[in-house]
Amino acid sequence: VTLTGERNKPQNPPDSQGSATGDDIEIVVNVGGVRQVLYGDLLSQYPETRLAELINCLAGGYDTIFSLCDDYDPGKREFYFDRDPDAFKCVIEVYYFGEVHMKKGICPICFKNEMDFWKVDLKFLDDCCKSHLSEKREELEEIARRVQLILDDLGVDAAEGRWRRCQKCVWKFLEKPESSCPARVVAVLSFLLILVSSVVMCMGTIPELQVLDAEGNRVEHPTLENVETACIGWFTLEYLLRLFSSPNKLHFALSFMNIVDVLAILPFYVSLTLTHLGARMMELTNVQQAVQALRIMRIARIFKLARHSSGLQTLTYALKRSFKELGLLLMYLAVGIFVFSALGYTMEQSHPETLFKSIPQSFWWAIITMTTVGYGDIYPKTTLGKLNAAISFLCGVIAIALPIHPIINNFVRYYNKQRVLETAAKHELELMELNSSSGGEGKTGGSRSDLDNLPPEPAGKEAPSCSSRLKLSHSDTFIPLLTEEKHHRTRLQSCK
């Protein structure tokens, strides 16, 4: 920053907070090799910022000067800052427009640190940029959480008891298939048993594979029952081991996937109990009906595949994030079903052999028509009714197609985000290992304060062009810094 002299002004701005001499000073900032002239009357509007402190910094000597900048040239009376010039172009907008808008392509976390360096409060940041910053901060917190989980798995606390260490080993063995080769084998075995139990459930309904019991009723083949019993035994053992080894048993019991696991194995034991003990308390027919109803609940075990499939987990998350789009889809269909079923009923009343007996019965026709299923059990016979049917299925196609694109975008965005987070967590561990091997102390970055103190320098810099919005300032072409030492970035800073 160069204090180049004074400029003639007719009068001081009414909102100026500095002295008369400070208001007339021209301040030339050299940020990342780009020189820019600013004026004291603008900077004094926000006296707590770093640029406003430069107005009177020369009176404090070199200690004050170097506490505010990276370098100083007494000959040119120029102050040098090794900061991102693109981010600086956005930050100085606060002096002209009273708000800061982050340019596209700038890392939100780095931009936040740039604002902290220039001592510009985050309250001046535009709302859309704040949401982008919050999203990126959540991603960094997720990376830190994953890194911390990996470090917890790798670390061994000597102060822990033998039972606690055994508990952690069992938890890692069952919950982290990537932790070891035996854990991966167990995960694959559990996946195969889920498929086998689902196939056995389906094959048990084939009449050719069923046998007759003492009362002459068809029941499942004993071999299939034995296979299912073995699968249920494995699922039960797996669930109990995971429950006893979990760090937080209440959270484990209330987790959605663990509730699915309970629903997958509970019908077997309830049916077994009713079969052996229920006959004494109720009629045999009622017992058989209750057992048959519980056996239908075995279909819940197919959802256990989501534990071993990242694709199913991504699909679940995408549907969860797409409740609004799904609600719009149902609303469109509900309105169309009501309108076209009423029109169809009205138009078909003139035909003597009409199949539309009432409007509620016509709902079924409207549903299968708008979803382009068309079973053919109910169909219009008049010309107006056929025209109404043609319009209904065209509207149904449009109504279904409209919300599909946002749902697909949510799926792709979440899937790509998970891959990026996994890669970032692995790179973070590699960098920590590299720093520890070179004598440095690795940081896990697991706390929120660490996220707020990320290195502010971005990975790459480009020579910016002068912003057309900054009418009261001017800048010249790109010039190199005084020293090349400021260009150095550690690999960890570049990754951040």
Side-chain angles (χ1 to χ4, degrees):
V1 175
T2 305
L3 305 182
T4 59
E6 300 181 355
R7 63 186 175 103
N8 296 325
K9 292 177 57 67
Q11 60 180 2
N12 293 332
D15 59 342
S16 175
Q17 302 296 327
S19 63
T21 302
D23 290 346
D24 294 338
I25 289 179
E26 290 184 351
I27 304 247
V28 181
V29 287
N30 189 319
V31 181
V34 176
R35 299 173 65 246
Q36 182 129 1
V37 177
L38 304 171
Y39 300 108
D41 60 336
L42 295 174
L43 302 181
S44 60
Q45 300 178 51
Y46 304 98
E48 69 279 358
T49 60
R50 185 179 292 267
L51 290 177
E53 294 175 355
L54 292 173
I55 298 177
N56 301 317
C57 69
L58 289 179
Y62 282 104
D63 291 339
T64 304
I65 293 174
F66 284 104
S67 67
L68 297 175
C69 66
D70 295 321
D71 208 345
Y72 173 63
D73 186 355
K76 297 181 181 180
R77 302 180 67 188
E78 188 168 354
F79 297 83
Y80 291 85
F81 292 86
D82 185 17
R83 312 299 299 187
D84 184 8
D86 290 335
F88 178 73
K89 289 282 188 180
C90 302
V91 171
I92 60 176
E93 288 184 358
V94 69
Y95 299 102
Y96 299 96
F97 311 112
E99 65 178 4
V100 178
H101 187 79
M102 183 170 52
K103 286 171 55 177
K104 186 177 181 180
I106 299 179
C107 173
I109 301 298
C110 294
F111 188 79
K112 183 258 181 187
N113 289 311
E114 288 291 324
M115 293 185 64
D116 291 342
F117 175 81
W118 297 111
K119 300 181 180 180
V120 177
D121 199 283
L122 283 177
K123 66 182 180 181
F124 296 107
L125 191 62
D126 194 68
D127 291 338
C128 64
C129 301
K130 286 182 181 178
S131 62
H132 194 29
L133 175 63
S134 301
E135 180 181 353
K136 292 299 179 181
R137 182 171 295 179
E138 290 175 0
E139 291 182 3
L140 289 179
E141 291 176 350
E142 177 65 19
I143 293 174
R145 187 188 66 82
R146 295 190 179 202
V147 172
Q148 189 62 47
L149 289 176
I150 297 176
L151 292 178
D152 291 342
D153 293 337
L154 295 177
V156 177
D157 191 356
E160 292 182 346
R162 183 175 181 181
W163 165 251
R164 180 61 179 172
R165 290 197 300 268
C166 179
Q167 186 180 13
K168 291 181 64 175
C169 290
V170 173
W171 176 258
K172 184 170 65 173
F173 182 77
L174 296 174
E175 286 289 327
K176 306 294 177 60
E178 68 279 359
S179 61
S180 63
C181 184
R184 190 175 294 108
V185 171
V186 170
V188 173
L189 177 61
S190 179
F191 180 83
L192 293 177
L193 288 178
I194 294 173
L195 294 179
V196 169
S197 63
S198 302
V199 172
V200 167
M201 181 187 69
C202 298
M203 294 180 62
T205 60
I206 301 177
E208 290 77 7
L209 298 180
Q210 294 178 344
V211 296
L212 298 177
D213 59 4
E215 289 78 13
N217 299 321
R218 288 188 174 273
V219 295
E220 289 187 3
H221 197 280
T223 303
L224 298 180
E225 289 185 352
N226 294 335
V227 173
E228 182 181 1
T229 302
C231 294
I232 291 296
W234 170 265
F235 298 151
T236 304
L237 177 63
E238 182 185 31
Y239 179 82
L240 293 178
L241 288 177
R242 291 172 54 244
L243 175 61
F244 292 143
S245 62
S246 63
N248 190 341
K249 293 178 173 54
L250 180 61
H251 181 269
F252 177 88
L254 297 179
S255 176
F256 174 75
M257 291 307 304
N258 295 324
I259 294 176
V260 171
D261 292 342
V262 173
L263 294 178
I265 62 179
L266 189 61
F268 175 82
Y269 294 103
V270 175
S271 301
L272 192 65
T273 303
L274 290 177
T275 302
H276 292 82
L277 301 178
R280 302 177 183 177
M281 298 178 291
M282 62 182 70
E283 296 181 359
L284 182 60
T285 304
N286 296 332
V287 172
Q288 292 177 348
Q289 292 177 353
V291 170
Q292 189 66 24
L294 289 172
R295 293 175 72 87
I296 298 177
M297 294 180 61
R298 293 183 300 173
I299 60 176
R301 69 186 60 173
I302 197 65
F303 294 105
K304 289 171 61 67
L305 293 176
R307 183 183 302 279
H308 307 279
S309 174
S310 59
L312 289 177
Q313 295 175 5
T314 304
L315 178 60
T316 303
Y317 178 84
L319 293 177
K320 187 186 302 182
R321 293 292 298 270
S322 304
F323 277 158
K324 184 177 180 180
E325 289 79 8
L326 293 174
L328 289 176
L329 172 61
L330 295 178
M331 185 188 69
Y332 295 155
L333 290 177
V335 172
I337 289 169
F338 182 81
V339 171
F340 291 113
S341 61
L343 291 176
Y345 170 77
T346 304
M347 294 174 181
E348 289 295 311
Q349 290 305 301
S350 60
H351 198 281
E353 299 179 357
T354 179
L355 299 176
F356 295 77
K357 304 299 182 182
S358 63
I359 292 181
Q361 186 182 9
S362 302
F363 287 166
W364 169 248
W365 168 84
I367 292 174
I368 62 177
T369 303
M370 292 192 69
T371 55
T372 67
V373 177
Y375 289 113
D377 53 345
I378 301 178
Y379 56 90
K381 297 181 179 181
T382 63
T383 303
L384 291 178
K386 294 178 180 178
L387 179 62
N388 177 62
I391 297 175
S392 66
F393 70 71
L394 289 177
C395 293
V397 170
I398 296 175
I400 294 175
L402 285 178
I404 293 300
H405 187 67
I407 297 175
I408 295 176
N409 284 343
N410 290 336
F411 178 85
V412 174
R413 187 184 300 112
Y414 181 75
Y415 182 75
N416 292 334
K417 180 180 177 180
Q418 292 303 308
R419 294 183 61 184
V420 169
L421 292 178
E422 291 177 2
T423 304
K426 293 179 181 179
H427 287 176
E428 182 75 12
L429 291 173
E430 293 175 359
L431 292 172
M432 293 171 60
E433 183 179 359
L434 180 64
N435 291 336
S436 62
S437 63
S438 61
E441 295 182 359
K443 291 183 66 178
T444 62
S447 63
R448 184 177 295 273
S449 61
D450 293 335
L451 294 174
D452 293 335
N453 296 325
L454 290 175
E457 292 84 2
K461 294 184 178 180
E462 298 178 356
S465 59
C466 181
S467 175
S468 60
R469 298 178 62 188
L470 306 180
K471 302 300 183 182
L472 300 179
S473 65
H474 61 272
S475 61
D476 57 12
T477 57
F478 180 83
I479 59 176
L481 294 177
L482 291 179
T483 62
E484 297 295 333
E485 297 177 356
K486 301 291 185 179
H487 286 294
H488 176 69
R489 300 285 185 274
T490 65
R491 185 180 176 191
L492 180 59
Q493 291 172 332
S494 300
C495 178
K496 293 294 187 182

